[in-house]
Amino acid sequence: MSPRDSWVSPLSGRYASNEMLFLFSERSRASTWRLLWLWLAEGQKSLGLPISDAAIAQMEANIKLTEEDFEIAAVEEARRRHDVMAMVHAFGKVAPAASGIIHWGATSCYVTDNTELIFMKRGLEMLLPKLAGIITKLADFAAEYKDLPCLAFTHGQTAQPHTVGKRASLWIKDFLMDLRNLERAKDDLEFRGVKGTTGTQASFLAIFDGDHYKVEQLDDYVTKRAGFQTTCDIACQTYSRHVDLDTSNSFSSFGATCQKICGDIRRLASFREMEEPFGKDQIGSSAMAYKRNPMLSERCTSLARYLANLNKNAADTYASQWLERSLDDSAIRRLYIPEMFLCADSILIILDNIFSGLVVYPAMIKRRLTDELPFMATENIIMALVAKGISRQEAHEKIRVHSHAAAYEIKAMGKDNNLIELVKGDPFFEPILEELPKLLDPQSFVGRAPQQVEKFLSGPVKMALEPYKALLNNEAVAEIHV
């Protein structure tokens, strides 16, 4: 059957990177199981159990599965209805000297759960530098535009101006929280280790004739071989599914951040103030040839929405576990754990492309700011009049009347904002007419925004990115498949 005759997840067919796809691939998973069996045998041999050098050598030589290995395992699984035992059988076929000791004392979760933990740790190690790279590019953008005044919006209405760089810094602040959350998720991962059927290590205690020290040594050996510093001090047949929930909550938070930021970019694109990069031959609409749709931001929003909601699966799975363990966690985790990482990876690829070529239109920003500035200058005008000894209440009433008249001309008549002309034509405002240019200077409305951006970038942002400095290539742009 052609691959085109079977459904393929868009995450694998269109969006995710090859390295993340390989991490969660069938070959990667099965090979990691074999590594875990090898490490278990190595540890058992080093602690005095009768395992031959030939057994270890044959296991080492056959970690990566061949197509024939998969076929053998598939036939056995169809017969036994047990994926782990099918793989034990296939491994024993190519490592006959080890066939009697593979999986000695272990339960299925020794390979399944420990592999999930290894994949989550490696996956986070792949994602975190990508997120740091995006923050770096956005920080460069914020520094470049820290002084460019623009309209701010509260309640969907124009508000006191800040700067383009300040808005980007607000995005960075949220990304820094996600960076911290994902770092914590990685650092909190503990290896399940060598725990036996219900976490008591009874089978290993029996193998070592009641020697508790050797059981602990075996657990520690396999944990270190897997690249973890700590093992679960208390576990049952599985590691607690609360681990999946905690990890997925960090991903959910990241998904929410991406929806918010891409939503902002899409709104700014509708104002013609800012635009994601648009390819020379890119088509925005099949019907409306002039359109430059924010396709990347829209795609990112869509994927981020999916990612933000995956934690519900983790929460329900954790809550539904009966007593020490029930198998209703298995099939769903085969879906949402890989999807969580593939989806986040896909989003980061898109964001890298967006922030590598974000386009700003200063002239349009200035035009829109100029249209609204007279209204925003009203408070400055009132304060200037008060400084000249004029009643604040009188000044407020005068400016209120003129403001409403100007607003009517704009909204009802479609005319330009003429508030300043009305002020200039009213003798009441004569004492401050010479000050009007200064009172209307956009730079006077942004407060400490430029200084805030500088301090933020040189402080918290620089500190957060420091661990990733050697891993970043700020010139490279992640490849988008479609």
Side-chain angles (χ1 to χ4, degrees), residues 11 16-17 20-21 24 337-347:
L11 291 172
S17 67
M20 191 64 77
L21 287 167
F24 287 95
I337 291 178
E339 285 186 344
M340 194 162 64
F341 283 85
L342 294 172
C343 195
D345 184 58
S346 303
I347 289 167

Side-chain angles (χ1 to χ4, degrees), residues 9-18 20-21 130 295-296 299-300 302-303 342-350 478-482:
S9 168
L11 291 172
S12 60
R14 296 173 70 86
Y15 303 137
S17 67
N18 290 332
M20 191 64 77
L21 287 167
K130 293 182 179 183
M295 176 269 290
L296 293 177
R299 180 187 297 175
C300 193
S302 186
L303 290 169
L342 294 172
C343 195
D345 184 58
S346 303
I347 289 167
L348 287 165
I349 290 171
I350 297 169
E479 182 183 356
I480 287 182
H481 302 310
V482 289

Side-chain angles (χ1 to χ4, degrees), residues 205-415:
L205 194 62
I207 289 171
F208 288 114
D209 296 324
D211 191 328
H212 290 266
Y213 177 75
K214 285 188 175 181
V215 174
E216 291 181 356
Q217 287 294 103
L218 178 63
D219 200 3
D220 186 61
Y221 175 84
V222 175
T223 297
K224 295 295 191 294
R225 287 286 271 148
F228 286 78
Q229 295 304 309
T230 56
T231 183
C232 295
D233 43 14
I234 290 291
C236 196
Q237 187 171 97
T238 69
Y239 66 80
S240 172
R241 297 308 182 222
H242 208 298
V243 174
D244 297 342
L245 175 56
D246 281 0
T247 303
S248 68
N249 283 338
S250 297
F251 279 89
S252 178
S253 173
F254 174 62
T257 300
C258 296
Q259 287 182 81
K260 186 268 186 289
I261 293 172
C262 287
D264 285 353
I265 293 171
R266 290 159 64 193
R267 289 180 182 89
L268 292 168
S270 74
F271 301 155
R272 298 186 176 90
E273 291 191 8
M274 186 182 290
E275 206 169 65
E276 66 182 40
F278 197 86
K280 174 178 169 289
D281 298 318
Q282 185 174 330
I283 296 173
S285 168
S286 62
M288 295 168 279
Y290 64 89
K291 293 193 76 177
R292 294 170 67 92
N293 297 339
M295 176 269 290
L296 293 177
S297 299
E298 290 175 319
R299 180 187 297 175
C300 193
T301 300
S302 186
L303 290 169
R305 186 183 306 139
Y306 186 76
L307 178 62
N309 285 284
L310 284 177
N311 67 333
K312 181 68 164 58
N313 293 319
D316 289 348
T317 299
Y318 164 68
S320 298
Q321 288 294 283
W322 291 5
L323 302 174
E324 283 66 53
R325 193 267 169 106
S326 52
L327 198 59
D328 57 307
D329 67 342
S330 180
I332 192 169
R333 292 174 69 253
R334 291 174 190 256
L335 294 169
Y336 77 73
I337 291 178
E339 285 186 344
M340 194 162 64
F341 283 85
L342 294 172
C343 195
D345 184 58
S346 303
I347 289 167
L348 287 165
I349 290 171
I350 297 169
L351 289 176
D352 185 69
N353 276 263
I354 292 173
F355 294 130
S356 292
L358 205 55
V359 181
V360 175
Y361 295 107
M364 178 57 82
I365 291 172
K366 183 178 180 181
R367 173 180 163 184
R368 284 171 45 77
L369 183 59
T370 301
D371 287 345
E372 298 290 340
L373 208 56
F375 292 129
M376 295 174 192
T378 55
E379 187 174 6
N380 286 2
I381 292 172
I382 291 170
M383 292 302 101
L385 287 166
V386 172
K388 298 289 186 181
I390 295 168
S391 164
R392 189 257 176 208
Q393 276 58 273
E394 255 190 280
H396 184 278
E397 180 59 19
K398 282 283 188 181
I399 203 73
R400 184 190 71 82
V401 171
H402 287 316
S403 295
H404 285 206
Y408 176 82
E409 291 289 308
I410 295 168
K411 290 185 282 189
M413 309 302 291
K415 295 183 178 180

Side-chain angles (χ1 to χ4, degrees), residues 45 51-60 95-98:
K45 177 178 170 60
I51 297 174
S52 67
D53 291 341
I56 298 296
Q58 288 176 10
M59 293 173 79
E60 283 181 329

Side-chain angles (χ1 to χ4, degrees), residues 381 384-385 388 423 428-437 439:
I381 292 172
L385 287 166
K388 298 289 186 181
V423 167
F428 179 83
F429 295 96
E430 190 173 341
I432 54 93
L433 289 184
E434 289 184 3
E435 298 178 42
L436 274 180
L439 297 175

Side-chain angles (χ1 to χ4, degrees), residues 22 57 94 105 163 172 193 218 393 398 462 474 478:
F22 177 75
V94 294
T163 68
I172 294 170
L218 178 63
Q393 276 58 273
K398 282 283 188 181
K462 184 179 180 181
N474 213 27

